[in-house]
Amino acid sequence: MEDVNNIDLMRTIQIKFPRLSKGQKLIAEYILKHYDKAAFMTAAKLGVSVGVSESTVVRFANELGFSGYPKLQKALQELIKNKLTTVQRIELSNDIVSQESPLKGVLKSDMENIRATLEKINHKTFDDLINSIFKAKKIYIIGLRSSTAIADFLGFYLNLILDNVKVVGYGISDIFEQMINLTEDDLVIGIGFPRYAARTIESLTFAKSRGAEVAAITDSLLSPLASAADYTLIAQSNMASFVDSLVAPLSVINALIVSVGLKEKEKISSTFADLENIWQEYQVYSFREGN
């Protein structure tokens, strides 16, 4: 089984689960939920985390068809690297949806993503990124595919506070044409989650080659976005189905916006006072009498 693809690994664990020993079931449950952590644990460390002996971990690997635990570990690392296709996500997520309603299952999954993000995120990195935002001559934000929505959201609000923000995206100009004037005085914020958009990764590599500061908002320090970044903010985005969970990333982005805003209180008050007049004059929003 050592040469099969990673979806088969997860499926094999699910299929074999009923026949596993009590200790092996604990390992299986842990790997299914936290394969990103398990992939970098020794057999002994995994055993301690789960509450079983190292030999039980080795026997578990053998039960799955691996000649030893290192082979299982390598397969888990490949799983992180390659992630899963949309079709494979649907196959694995059927269990979540069938156990309870999609509404309850997805909301619970998103709550877990925010909780895990609160534990994983590095507060110093967050503060360093805020300082870099204020230091930068120009700020470029890039998030493609499903990350476009939150990249636009970040760009929209930062543009109300600062006057040097550019959201890079698909359009008439190529991505690199939009970043042609990038210098070492600038900051590029890349946003990406599995499956990672190749153009986002290339853009961050390009930014690094220009000497610009690079920040990544992504799901893991093993993410290809993180490898090019000076600052990496981890936001968990485990999917409950084929839809990318962007709830935790959006919370992190909200925190960034609020933190930037708190440092520019007076400017924000003035900007929103002006905007309020414009919104009313041009009826941008529906204003009822008395409001």
Side-chain angles (χ1 to χ4, degrees), residues 87-123:
V87 173
Q88 290 167 344
R89 289 185 186 198
I90 293 169
E91 288 174 3
L92 283 178
S93 66
N94 282 342
D95 296 340
I96 297 171
V97 177
S98 62
Q99 285 168 12
E100 50 193 342
S101 73
L103 175 62
K104 198 170 181 182
V106 171
L107 289 180
K108 281 171 70 176
S109 175
D110 279 336
M111 286 166 64
E112 170 59 22
N113 284 334
I114 290 181
R115 187 199 62 75
T117 298
L118 196 55
E119 287 181 5
K120 290 178 181 179
I121 202 158
N122 187 308
H123 291 250

Side-chain angles (χ1 to χ4, degrees), residues 257-283:
I257 295 164
V258 169
S259 296
V260 172
L262 286 172
K263 289 197 172 191
E264 291 282 2
K265 276 184 186 175
E266 288 182 17
K267 185 176 179 183
I268 285 180
S269 297
S270 172
T271 298
F272 275 95
D274 287 345
L275 282 172
E276 200 66 41
N277 291 330
I278 292 168
W279 291 338
Q280 290 200 44
E281 184 178 347
Y282 292 96
Q283 299 181 336

Side-chain angles (χ1 to χ4, degrees), residues 8-62:
D8 285 346
L9 168 59
M10 303 303 269
R11 267 276 170 243
T12 299
I13 293 173
Q14 290 178 325
I15 291 164
K16 285 184 176 278
F17 188 86
R19 299 194 300 275
L20 296 175
S21 69
K22 188 178 178 183
Q24 289 174 348
K25 281 181 178 175
L26 292 173
I27 300 168
E29 286 174 345
Y30 186 90
I31 288 177
L32 287 171
K33 288 180 182 174
H34 309 291
Y35 62 84
D36 55 337
K37 290 181 184 176
F40 296 92
M41 288 180 174
T42 61
K45 179 75 188 295
L46 180 55
V48 169
S49 297
V50 176
V52 300
S53 67
E54 183 176 349
S55 59
T56 302
V57 176
V58 175
R59 283 196 297 274
F60 172 77
N62 296 152

Side-chain angles (χ1 to χ4, degrees), residues 133-177:
I133 285 172
F134 281 100
K135 193 176 69 176
K137 187 175 180 183
K138 189 157 188 176
I139 300 160
Y140 295 81
I141 299 169
I142 179 164
L144 305 174
R145 309 289 296 172
S146 61
S147 295
T148 301
I150 53 177
D152 283 342
F153 184 89
L154 176 60
F156 174 78
Y157 278 101
L158 284 188
N159 263 313
L160 293 177
I161 307 167
L162 308 170
D163 57 4
N164 59 342
V165 180
K166 178 180 177 64
V167 178
V168 177
Y170 295 122
I172 295 173
S173 300
D174 183 77
I175 300 294
F176 293 118
E177 290 172 359

